[in-house]
Amino acid sequence: MTGMKKKAEVTIYDISRALNISASTVSRGLNNSPQVRKDLRKKIMQTAQDMGYQHNKFAANLRQKRTRTLGVVIPRIDSHFMSTVISGMEKVANNSGYQLLISQSEESAVLEEANIQALFNSRVDGMLVSLSYETRNSDSFRNILRKDIPLVFFDRVLECTNCVSVVIDNFRAGYEATQHLIDQGCKKIVHVAGSLNRNVYSERYRGYRQALTDNSLPFDDRMLVVTDLGDNSGMIIVNQLLNNGTTPDGIFTANDTSAVSLICELKRKGYRVPEDIAVTGFNDDPVSRIVEPNLTTVHYPGRAMGEVAASTMIRILEGTQYEKVNSITLAHELIIRQSSLRSGKEPSS
Amino acid sequence: MTGMKKKAEVTIYDISRALNISASTVSRGLNNSPQVRKDLRKKIMQTAQDMGYQHNKFAANLRQKRTRTLGVVIPRIDSHFMSTVISGMEKVANNSGYQLLISQSEESAVLEEANIQALFNSRVDGMLVSLSYETRNSDSFRNILRKDIPLVFFDRVLECTNCVSVVIDNFRAGYEATQHLIDQGCKKIVHVAGSLNRNVYSERYRGYRQALTDNSLPFDDRMLVVTDLGDNSGMIIVNQLLNNGTTPDGIFTANDTSAVSLICELKRKGYRVPEDIAVTGFNDDPVSRIVEPNLTTVHYPGRAMGEVAASTMIRILEGTQYEKVNSITLAHELIIRQSSLRSGKEPSS
DNA sequence: TTTAATTGTGCAACCGATTGCAAAAAATAG
DNA sequence: CTATTTTTTGCAATCGGTTGCACAATTAAA
C-alpha cells in the first residue's frame, strides 16, 4: 500500500452548484465580504457547514502569496527559558491568526542554515530566530533578506540593518551580577560563559570585566571558563579551576543550569556556598528557587520576550509598525538569594 | 501602508524560457526524475540556482494534496516533559522532511477544539495530540476522523478505534511507586493527582489504589488530593491535609513539580522528609536530582515518546506501517532516591 | 418616469507546480 | 536501411480559492 488516499474535497464549486450561484460569490460570502447580500452570506455559510466544506489554505495562499505562518529557528526547545519563550510566541501568534513553524538548530550552523532554507521554501511570512552557538555571520539569511522577508532576532541576536532584535541589556545584567558579588566582599571572581560568539555571553562577560575594572580588581585569563553551560558543566568547571590553581571566592555563571550543577559539585567537594564561594546564575529558572542554597540569579523575561518578538513581527507584517525599530530591550532584574549572600545580610525580598 | 509587498517570483516557467525547454521538464529535472537526461537535469538545477529560483510549496501541495506537515496539539509547551517530547518529535519529523505546526490548548477544551480546526484547515497530513485537562470526549476529532487523517495520541490519550496511542504503563508505574512507599514502611499514603479525566492521572491513581488493596491498607477519600499539580500545589496540598486532619507518612504525587513544591512546603512546616513523610514524584525532571532530599520518581521517557509518536505517524503516512497498531507502551522506571528512603537503606543505584 | 448612483453577482484569468498521455528523438534489433 | 523498443520531452489539464472588471439589479435622485 502506498500511503493514505484522501477523500474527495468539498469545494466552493460544489457549494456554488448547490446554491446555483457563482464560485466567486461563494468565496466572497465565506470571507464575509460586504459585497454579498447579508442573507445570502448566511445561506452560503450554512450550506458550507452542511456540506462539510473545508477551507483550503493552499489554494488561498497560492493566490494571495502569503501564509500567515511564522518560521521559528532556535537552538533547542527543551530548556525552561526557550520553551517559555515559544509558549508566549505561540499564544500571541495564535491570537492573531498566525501559526508557528518551529525548528531546532541543535547549536549547529549547518542545521540552522538548512532549517532557514526549509522555512524559506515553506514561504513563511516572517522569521523569528535565536542563533546557534556556531553561527558566525548573517550569510544564511541572504535569501530571507533579499526577498524582504521580515526578520526578528531574539535573545541570541546578530547586528543587522534590516531587522529587529529583542533582547535584555546583557552588559548591564552582567555588570550588576558581578558588582553584587563584589559588594558581598568577593575579591576573586570567576566567570563561566557560553560561546563568546554570541552576544548574550560576550555582553555578560563584558559587563563582568567592566565591573572588575571599575572596582580595581585584577583579571587574568584563568578567571574565564567557557563551557556548554550544560547539565554537567559543574564538574568541568571545578576541574578546570583546580588544574588552573585558581580558587575563587565568587563565581558568576551565564546560566542557571550550570550554576546549579556547579553548586552541587562544589558542595560535593566540601566547599561551602556562599561562605567559601558565592555563586550567581542567570535566567531565574524555577530550579534556582529549589537548589540549596537558593540561587541568586538574573530574572530573564522569557514569556515576554516571546510575546514581544511575535507581536513586533505581526505588526511589521500588517504594516502597523510605523517607526523603524532596530532593537527592543526588555527589563531584567537581579534576584538576590542565599547563594551569594555573605555577611549574614538578608536577601532584599 | 498595508503590509509587505512581495517581490516577483522566479518560477519554473522562467527557467523553462531561459533554457528553451518545457516547464514539465524543468519540474521533473528539479525533482531529480530519471525521466530527464542527466546532463539536462544538472543544467536545470544550475540555472535554477543562478536565477534564484525558490520552490513554491503551495503550488506543489495544492496539486499533490499533501503538505508534509504534522499538526501538534498539547496543553502547554513550557514544561520540561513536554518540551522534551516536542524536541524529539521535531527532530524525527525534520529528518524525514516533515514540519511541525504546534499549538497549545492551555488545558482548555474550547481552545483545543479551535486549534484542531485550524490545523485541519491547514491541511496537516496527520495530527499528534496530548489532551487538555478539560476534554471530555472525542467530539472535536470528528472532522479529522471523518477525513481519515491519521491521529496519534501521546501521553494524555483517548480510547479510540482508528488511532494510535503512545503511552507508558501508568497503572503499573503508580502501583510500583506506591508499593515502594509501602516497602519503606509507610502505612498511610496520600496520593496527589491531576484531573482524573485524563488517563495518565486516573491510571496512576488506580495503580495506587490497587497497591493499597494488595497490601491490605485502608483508603478513605481524604487520602486523595486533586490539584493542578503546579508550582504552588505544595502549599495547597499541605493545607488540605491539615484541614482534613490527615497526617500521612507517605505521599505519592503524580508529577515532580508538585512533589518538589510539596517537599519545600513540608520542610518549611518542620516535617522531615523522608523520616516523617516519604515522598515520591513522577517524571524524573532534572529538578528531582537537585531538590534536597533528592526525589524518588518515575522516569518518563519524554524524548523517546516524541520520537516514537512522530515516527509512527510518518510510517502510517508513508504506508510502511503494515500492522494495525492501536497502542505503543514505552518502558518506565522507578528511580529511587533519598526522598523516600527510610530505614537507612541505600538507593539501588 | 427617466437618469444616476449604488449594490450585488458572475466571468475568466490567475497563482505555480505536477502529471497522464502522446509524440518526438534516440537507441537497438532485424 | 527499415522496424521496434526505449528514452526524452512537451502539451494541456488540474489542484481550489481569489479578485479585477464588467454587467445586472436595485435603489435613490431628478
Side-chain angles (χ1 to χ4, degrees), chain A residues 97-148:
Chain A
Y98 284 80
Q99 282 175 315
L100 253 39
L101 228 31
I102 299 170
S103 58
Q104 306 178 93
S105 66
E106 297 175 32
E107 307 287 8
S108 142
V110 174
L111 196 45
E112 185 175 80
E113 172 144 26
N115 286 336
I116 292 168
Q117 191 57 42
L119 293 173
F120 184 56
N121 283 339
S122 291
R123 293 293 204 279
V124 294
D125 289 344
M127 200 108 118
L128 298 151
V129 180
S130 190
L131 295 168
S132 83
Y133 262 23
E134 291 178 7
T135 312
R136 290 285 172 180
N137 51 45
S138 64
D139 286 359
S140 12
F141 299 98
R142 267 173 284 112
N143 292 331
I144 300 291
L145 294 173
R146 184 143 32 106
K147 286 250 181 183
D148 283 332

Side-chain angles (χ1 to χ4, degrees), chain A residues 37-317:
Chain A
R37 236 183 321 119
K38 248 207 170 122
D39 55 324
L40 181 53
R41 245 185 280 169
K42 198 160 282 170
K43 195 157 68 172
I44 291 172
M45 301 220 190
Q46 187 55 53
T47 312
Q49 179 98 55
D50 295 346
M51 297 178 68
Y53 168 78
Q54 181 194 2
H55 179 77
N56 188 324
K57 273 199 183 168
F58 295 111
N61 284 340
L62 178 58
R63 182 64 218 247
Q64 296 181 143
K65 301 192 165 219
R66 62 177 214 156
T67 60
R68 296 191 81 85
T69 299
L70 306 179
V72 181
V73 182
I74 52 178
R76 16 181 73 92
I77 199 170
D78 58 350
S79 75
H80 172 77
F81 172 70
M82 201 49 93
S83 61
T84 308
V85 172
I86 297 297
S87 182
M89 226 172 235
E90 197 277 331
K91 188 164 186 189
V92 168
N94 204 3
N95 283 340
S96 305
Y98 284 80
Q99 282 175 315
L100 253 39
L101 228 31
I102 299 170
S103 58
Q104 306 178 93
S105 66
E106 297 175 32
E107 307 287 8
S108 142
V110 174
L111 196 45
E112 185 175 80
E113 172 144 26
N115 286 336
I116 292 168
Q117 191 57 42
L119 293 173
F120 184 56
N121 283 339
S122 291
R123 293 293 204 279
V124 294
D125 289 344
M127 200 108 118
L128 298 151
V129 180
S130 190
L131 295 168
S132 83
Y133 262 23
E134 291 178 7
T135 312
R136 290 285 172 180
N137 51 45
S138 64
D139 286 359
S140 12
F141 299 98
R142 267 173 284 112
N143 292 331
I144 300 291
L145 294 173
R146 184 143 32 106
K147 286 250 181 183
D148 283 332
I149 294 174
L151 182 53
V152 171
F153 287 107
F154 59 95
D155 194 43
R156 304 215 203 143
V157 307
L158 206 57
E159 286 307 320
C160 171
T161 34
N162 283 314
C163 50
V164 180
S165 290
V166 181
V167 289
I168 63 166
D169 188 337
N170 286 286
F171 171 78
R172 199 150 64 78
Y175 189 100
E176 289 166 5
T178 311
Q179 183 65 53
H180 165 70
L181 289 175
I182 296 170
D183 292 345
Q184 294 298 311
C186 296
K187 299 279 182 225
K188 184 164 188 181
I189 302 170
V190 159
H191 178 51
V192 177
S195 164
L196 292 179
N197 287 327
R198 294 281 70 81
N199 64 302
V200 287
Y201 304 120
S202 64
E203 287 291 290
R204 288 168 204 177
Y205 173 57
R206 214 163 56 77
Y208 154 81
R209 288 295 299 272
Q210 188 64 50
L212 292 190
T213 304
D214 289 357
N215 290 272
S216 314
L217 289 174
F219 171 82
D220 75 75
D221 290 347
R222 292 170 305 176
M223 290 161 68
L224 171 66
V225 181
V226 175
T227 79
D228 66 355
L229 300 175
D231 263 341
N232 293 312
S233 49
M235 211 156 52
I236 298 163
I237 297 164
V238 172
N239 283 340
Q240 180 161 339
L241 292 178
L242 290 180
N243 289 342
N244 265 346
T246 310
T247 314
D249 54 4
I251 303 181
F252 162 41
T253 68
N255 80 0
D256 284 351
T257 306
S258 68
V260 166
S261 169
L262 178 62
I263 287 179
C264 292
E265 183 66 13
L266 288 175
K267 290 200 290 189
R268 202 171 300 133
K269 290 258 198 258
Y271 293 97
R272 291 169 307 159
V273 177
E275 293 81 357
D276 300 332
I277 302 180
V279 176
T280 308
F282 212 107
N283 274 22
D284 198 21
D285 283 352
V287 70
S288 60
R289 248 184 304 255
I290 306 295
V291 69
E292 292 184 20
N294 284 191
L295 182 62
T296 293
T297 187
V298 175
H299 177 71
Y300 211 145
R303 170 162 251 102
M305 186 169 276
E307 289 170 353
V308 168
S311 60
T312 302
M313 170 61 78
I314 290 170
R315 273 203 307 276
I316 294 174
L317 289 171

